[in-house]
Amino acid sequence: MTAPTDPPAAPKPTRIAPIVTLDAKSFWEAADQEKFIGQKCGDCGKFTFPPRPMCPHCHSLNRQDVELSGKGTVHAWTIPRHPHPFGFRESPIVAVIQLAEGIRFVSNVVGVGYDEIRQDMEVEVCFEPTMNNHKVPVFRPRSK
Amino acid sequence: MARTFTEAAIAGIGQTEFSKASGRSELQLAAECSLAACQDAGISPHDIDGMITFTIDNSDEVNLARCLGVKDLAYTTRIPGGGAAAAATIYQAMAMVNAGLCNNVLIWRAMNERSQYRFGQNPNQQMMSYQSGNGTGSLLWCVPYGAMTPASWGALQAQRYMHTYGVTNRDLGYISVQQRKYAANNPAAWFYGKPITLEDHQNSKWIQEPWLRMLDCCQESDGGVAILVTSLERARDLKQKPVRILGAAQSIPYNVEVISNYYHDDLTVMPEAQGVAKRLWKQTGLRPSDMQAAMIYDAFTPHVLLQLEAFGFCKRGEAAEWVKAGGMAIDGELPVNTNGGLTGEAYIHGMNSMAEGVRQIRGTSPNQVQRVQNVLISSGMAGAILSKD
Ligand SMILES: [Zn+2]
């Protein structure tokens, strides 16, 4: 039970925490530290998403996690209305982000109204908290 | 025994009623539709020697074989990809018969996906585990972002196409209206006797704003459908007119996956359907203009447009106008989903539309197209061409 003298707590995050697989573990651990990383092949230098144990271009197992620019554009987007997505007070804008590194990432666009979202609009990464003290990369309109 | 190439044909189809609450187990639905397909063909279920379904079906092969009294099963498989694999069952059944390895291949699908669980709702604990083999390798990456349902993944997949070619939600309504018109005339359809207008479509609630409304989405259904494949020669001696499997193919190009399909180069096309089309036209020597009808997987309406373009029935970006002009109507250039499709008849994951393809070749559809020689079947990642003997 909470003692009446405790300061009011910040609202608890309701967003579902990522489901972490072994091949994506380093990605989500970096996100917890507010770092947006991507998989780059240690031999041929190509980026790959989603993360996987082997480079599909040269079959190297030498996988490097490098920090990405965090810059991208809104390649596709939608607003889930029904059923209302679990863990969100308001419907989020879900988007496929085309990243500067040439790979794509499903995320949310935050900080824009439903009528302000535009195809190919420029966005940059930021982070939002989830249940169980994790963080996920989301995107906001790019600052000039 | 020497093996020779054997032509394959569909000899039987069977289905249960399509409902929202079947009141019996999925295994019972599977057994009932399988028996119906065997009886339609005039073969004993004891003689089934091949069994094929696809992932996200809970009825077990051995349990179903036990119901049917299958004496000696020579081949079973469960194809990855969920509904996208629907037509791949025909492909594999054809290949087994072609190779002389099976004589009576049963394809089945049976689910209580409305009364027992809800396909279109937010995932429950069981679905969150996303078993491998569903063909949706990247779904886990969508869930923390509120994309938790097939409609959300499907909208995200189709949105860039819709934006690029200026396809509006109202444009999609013409597909729904046409399919419900077909369903209204099909006694087996859930929406039998219930046509809709474009205004009904536009008044249905947003599922994915501003792309998909309720009436752009397939149903959640209880029911089962089965198809029996044998050799063409044998089919000629059975009860029904044989339906030849002229060609069948599957295609999963690099970086393509089912529904959470955002990683291939150009999101304004469906590369898997383009791959299937290329293989089918090459296998059979036929062209789009040789098809008199098509059954196209319509989990969501925009995917009908993407497949029409992938198969070359329309040029890129022109399918919506083609539909608006009546292209998929009974007297149109290519009647499409004449059972009412997965929105109008039922959502048995494409299997019910494949059975409709068989009826069109036999001449027994409630919305029969005149002078049918060839029917295209597409489930996106796989397809087949059915033909008159
Ligand atoms: Zn490499």
Side-chain angles (χ1 to χ4, degrees), chain B residues 91-127:
Chain B
Y91 175 47
Q92 293 209 9
M94 174 189 80
M96 294 309 288
V97 169
N98 285 169
L101 297 173
C102 287
N103 293 315
N104 299 305
V105 183
L106 173 73
I107 300 166
W108 87 97
R109 186 75 164 173
M111 299 180 78
N112 283 330
E113 121 236 334
R114 179 62 178 79
S115 66
Q116 215 169 312
Y117 35 87
R118 297 288 306 270
F119 242 62
Q121 294 294 318
N122 289 330
N124 60 27
Q125 210 54 41
Q126 179 201 341
M127 290 167 80

Side-chain angles (χ1 to χ4, degrees), chain B residues 59-106:
Chain B
S59 49
D60 182 84
E61 287 79 355
V62 170
N63 288 343
L64 179 56
R66 278 190 175 129
C67 288
L68 298 170
V70 174
K71 283 181 301 193
D72 185 10
L73 199 53
Y75 180 79
T76 65
T77 189
R78 187 169 280 245
I79 308 171
T89 59
I90 305 263
Y91 175 47
Q92 293 209 9
M94 174 189 80
M96 294 309 288
V97 169
N98 285 169
L101 297 173
C102 287
N103 293 315
N104 299 305
V105 183
L106 173 73

Side-chain angles (χ1 to χ4, degrees), chain A residues 41-46 55-60:
Chain A
C41 177
D43 285 310
C44 76
K46 289 186 171 136
C55 170
H57 306 288
C58 74
H59 307 121
S60 167

Side-chain angles (χ1 to χ4, degrees), chain B residues 318-371:
Chain B
E318 295 182 3
E321 286 305 316
W322 181 90
V323 170
K324 236 188 243 186
M328 63 187 276
I330 195 76
D331 56 353
E333 198 177 315
L334 181 81
V336 173
N337 296 340
T338 49
N339 56 339
L342 309 180
T343 56
E345 188 185 51
Y347 185 50
I348 315 297
H349 297 201
M351 284 286 291
N352 51 315
S353 295
M354 297 192 336
E356 170 69 2
V358 171
R359 286 190 293 267
Q360 284 291 356
I361 297 291
R362 287 180 178 176
T364 57
S365 167
N367 295 298
Q368 185 60 44
V369 178
Q370 297 308 303
R371 291 176 295 281

Side-chain angles (χ1 to χ4, degrees), chain A residues 2-55:
Chain A
T2 309
T5 49
D6 283 357
K12 274 194 175 165
T14 53
R15 184 192 288 265
I16 290 183
I19 299 156
V20 180
T21 62
L22 195 55
D23 293 319
K25 197 164 175 274
S26 57
F27 178 91
W28 293 114
E29 282 173 355
D32 284 346
Q33 308 302 316
E34 302 209 353
K35 281 192 166 53
F36 185 51
I37 65 168
Q39 176 179 347
K40 188 180 183 184
C41 177
D43 285 310
C44 76
K46 289 186 171 136
F47 283 94
T48 303
F49 186 89
R52 63 202 74 170
M54 181 177 282
C55 170

Side-chain angles (χ1 to χ4, degrees), chain A residues 15-16 18-19 21 24 27-28 49-52 56-57 74-86 88 92 94-96 104-108 119-120 136-138, chain B residues 120-122 128 130 137-138 140-149 151-152 155-157 159-160 163 205-211 214 254-255 257 262-267:
Chain A
R15 184 192 288 265
I16 290 183
I19 299 156
T21 62
F27 178 91
W28 293 114
F49 186 89
R52 63 202 74 170
H57 306 288
V74 174
H75 201 67
W77 61 275
T78 184
I79 303 165
R81 291 296 188 191
H82 180 84
H84 185 80
F86 180 79
F88 290 85
V94 184
V96 177
R104 299 201 191 112
F105 182 73
V106 173
S107 188
N108 294 133
Q119 202 82 19
D120 298 317
V136 293
V138 296
Chain B
Q121 294 294 318
N122 289 330
M128 292 287 272
Y130 295 113
S138 304
L140 291 183
W141 294 88
C142 299
V143 173
Y145 296 105
M148 298 174 173
T149 59
S152 65
L156 213 47
Q157 187 194 17
Q159 188 272 339
R160 194 164 180 90
H163 168 83
K205 69 182 162 196
W206 282 120
I207 301 297
Q208 295 292 316
E209 192 175 353
W211 314 110
M214 178 72 112
Y254 176 67
N255 255 350
E257 62 182 81
Y262 319 124
Y263 306 100
H264 62 85
D265 288 342
D266 184 353
L267 297 193

